[in-house]
Amino acid sequence: LPPNCEICGAAIKSAPTTVEIDGAILGVCGSCAGRGKAVRVPARKESFIPRAARQKVEPEMEIDPDFRVMVRKSREKRGLSQEQLGRLTNLKPSVISHVESGRLKPDLVLARRLMHELHINLLVSATELEGETSGRDR
Ligand SMILES: [Zn+2]
C-alpha cells in the first residue's frame, strides 16, 4: 500500500518527504513538503551499523602477509633446519620449504602449528587488514 501524505492525504508514489511542522514529524507528498521544515532522517547511517557490528562479533583471522619471512627468521634463530622444524611440527620438510618460499600460504591449522613451535604470531584479524585499506579510501 503506498503511503499517504499526512497533510493532504494524497497517495505518495515514491518515498514520502519527511518534514517538521510545529514540532511534529510528518511524511508528506511533494506538494506539501514546502509547508514544513525538511528533516534529515538518518537512514543511511543505520545501514552501516550492522556491518560494523558483525565485524566486531566475529573477527576473522588472516595469515600475516609477512608469514614466510617470519617463519624463516624464527626457525633460523632457533638453529633449526627445515627438516628439524618439519619433525617438530609433524609436517614434511617440503611443506616448510614451500611456506618459506611463499609458494604455500599456510591455512589456520598449519599456521597454528608453526606458531606453537616457533613461538611467533602469524595471525592478524581481517578487520585490521581491512582498516588499513578503508582508511586509504576515505
Ligand atoms: Zn500533501
Side-chain angles (χ1 to χ4, degrees), residues 38-87:
V39 172
R40 276 176 193 274
V41 183
R44 255 186 206 183
K45 208 176 172 186
E46 278 174 323
S47 71
F48 281 109
I49 292 165
R51 216 170 126 202
R54 198 174 54 215
Q55 286 182 343
K56 271 183 193 167
V57 172
E58 324 174 27
E60 274 181 65
M61 297 310 277
E62 295 267 342
I63 306 297
D64 193 299
D66 293 326
F67 69 88
R68 62 200 196 102
V69 182
M70 292 161 75
V71 169
R72 186 176 52 80
K73 279 197 177 165
S74 49
R75 177 179 60 76
E76 286 173 353
K77 212 169 114 186
R78 284 165 188 275
L80 295 169
S81 67
Q82 292 183 340
E83 286 77 16
Q84 286 170 319
L85 180 60
R87 228 173 293 142

Side-chain angles (χ1 to χ4, degrees), residues 5 7-10 28-29 31-32:
C5 172
I7 295 177
C8 70
V28 301
C29 71
S31 47
C32 295

